[in-house]
Amino acid sequence: MKIKRNYEEFEGKNKFYCNGFIIMSSSNCAFLITFSSIIFTSTLFFYHDARYFCEKSFIAIPIVGGWLFMFVIVMLLWTSFSDPGIIPRAESTDEAMYIEKTFAPVIVPSEPGPPVYVPPQRQLDVTIEGKKFLFKYCFICKIFRPPRTTHCSICDNCVECFDHHCKMVGNCIGKRNYRYFYLFAVSLFFLCIYVFVGAVTHLVLRCIEMKSFLEALDENPTSAIVAFICFITFWPIAALAGFHSYSITGLMISSRGENPYYAGSVFYNCFKVICGPAYPSLIRRRETVSNLLVYASYGAIQLPANDTSKAPNLSLPTSC
């Protein structure tokens, strides 16, 4: 009998590859375009411009460019292939009914018959470490979502600390992969500048050698193509990197007196995002399917499927 793993029974719209090690959204066309564009432009640069600098004994230029290129690719793949922070749905009908019955008032009908449970309230106020948090109920996943959690309509999952669904990387951006997405955006920004400056410098040096710009351009059209691509793509990349850099510094500062996620300074905000702890995946996609365990939505709570004597644990960290 073939053993099934959790990713084979996953109810969202994500796609899994390599026996569940890779998770992506259902539509990956934009990711393929992003990946191919970076590979194509960088290949032209290293084959034509970087080779010229090597011939002129400027070996450091292709070395730095190669390291930056590899870092961009690694961050892109890490962002695209990792679990963004998906919160499991109510894993069984008993669990979903238990959550509804626990938080919903009971209506006793005037006519003889069993009591009727109304749908659960749309929100729940929970106090954690002296601070009040608002938990909203997801009618699709049948769970109360933690703060800063949103149900992604594209992937059909609740994602903790949901930022946005990025078609460019083919995945949601959330609690578990935001740092890699941010590092990808910033490193791609610097790679774009680096390749643009390198291509333009190559053209200028060839122009000085040949004493004619048109002849240099005619002999080195690849450099002009690389510079043009980098110039066009620089602006959206700069806007993306700038917005997220401002988000983890400036926006938190403006509300540091009320924002419970403020770390205390710009340095600690950035440190928490880039060097914070690696959060475990809650969907346990590589584990074997078991009917004996039910995973609650805010942590791995192990309960027998038919045991409703204990309420689900709603405690969770106060920071993302």
Side-chain angles (χ1 to χ4, degrees):
M1 180 178 178
K2 181 181 179 181
I3 299 177
K4 284 191 175 182
R5 300 188 183 274
N6 288 329
Y7 76 89
E8 297 179 281
E9 302 290 333
F10 192 75
E11 298 183 19
K13 296 180 180 179
N14 296 82
K15 289 183 178 180
F16 294 88
Y17 306 94
C18 299
N19 293 325
F21 283 104
I22 295 176
I23 176 174
M24 299 185 70
S25 68
S26 56
S27 178
N28 303 324
C29 295
F31 162 76
L32 295 177
I33 293 175
T34 301
F35 183 78
S36 301
S37 300
I38 297 174
I39 295 294
F40 174 75
T41 307
S42 300
T43 300
L44 291 180
F45 171 76
F46 286 113
Y47 180 77
H48 189 70
D49 301 295
R51 189 171 61 175
Y52 171 82
F53 290 118
C54 288
E55 294 174 354
K56 298 297 182 180
S57 299
F58 297 112
I59 304 178
I61 294 179
I63 291 177
V64 174
W67 180 89
L68 191 57
F69 166 74
M70 291 301 300
F71 186 83
V72 169
I73 294 298
V74 170
M75 290 299 104
L76 172 60
L77 297 181
W78 209 330
T79 304
S80 303
F81 295 166
S82 60
D83 169 23
I86 298 173
I87 297 179
R89 305 184 184 207
E91 193 162 307
S92 67
T93 304
D94 293 338
E95 183 185 0
M97 292 177 61
Y98 171 65
I99 294 177
E100 293 186 2
K101 292 179 180 181
T102 302
F103 297 101
V106 178
I107 298 178
V108 180
S110 56
E111 299 179 359
V116 179
Y117 292 93
V118 300
Q121 55 186 340
R122 291 180 177 271
Q123 62 187 36
L124 179 69
D125 293 326
V126 178
T127 301
I128 302 174
E129 296 183 0
K131 299 177 182 179
K132 289 186 177 181
F133 292 85
L134 182 63
F135 286 65
K136 295 183 179 180
Y137 187 78
C138 178
F139 287 92
I140 299 177
C141 298
K142 303 296 182 181
I143 61 172
F144 279 93
R145 299 193 299 250
R148 305 175 73 182
T149 299
T150 302
H151 189 93
C152 176
S153 60
I154 299 177
C155 295
D156 197 23
N157 295 308
C158 282
V159 179
E160 195 170 359
C161 295
F162 181 81
D163 187 84
H164 68 290
H165 181 91
C166 184
K167 294 183 179 181
M168 185 175 68
V169 301
N171 204 349
C172 292
I173 306 302
K175 183 177 183 177
R176 298 191 69 251
N177 66 350
Y178 180 81
R179 76 180 67 190
Y180 310 123
F181 171 76
Y182 176 70
L183 292 175
F184 163 69
V186 173
S187 60
L188 182 61
F189 168 76
F190 286 109
L191 178 63
C192 188
I193 295 178
Y194 194 88
V195 172
F196 175 79
V197 172
V200 171
T201 302
H202 181 200
L203 275 177
V204 171
L205 293 178
R206 293 296 294 167
C207 181
I208 295 175
E209 292 175 359
M210 304 182 68
K211 297 182 180 181
S212 173
F213 174 76
L214 294 178
E215 292 183 5
L217 185 63
D218 182 64
E219 188 174 313
N220 302 276
T222 305
S223 299
I225 294 174
V226 170
F228 177 77
I229 295 175
C230 291
F231 179 81
I232 295 299
T233 57
F234 167 80
W235 307 106
I237 295 172
L240 182 67
F243 172 78
H244 285 279
S245 296
Y246 180 71
S247 295
I248 65 175
T249 56
L251 291 182
M252 289 189 174
I253 295 173
S254 63
S255 57
R256 60 179 177 269
E258 302 177 357
N259 194 335
Y261 304 102
Y262 180 68
S265 67
V266 174
F267 173 78
Y268 286 116
N269 283 336
C270 297
F271 182 83
K272 182 175 68 173
V273 172
I274 300 175
C275 303
Y279 300 98
S281 175
L282 298 179
I283 58 176
R284 302 170 180 264
R285 59 187 184 271
R286 287 282 303 162
E287 292 188 6
T288 56
V289 176
S290 174
N291 295 324
L292 299 178
L293 297 180
V294 175
Y295 298 105
S297 55
Y298 309 125
I301 304 174
Q302 299 184 355
L303 296 174
N306 58 355
D307 183 6
T308 59
S309 60
K310 297 182 181 180
N313 181 14
L314 295 180
S315 62
L316 74 162
T318 57
S319 64
C320 293

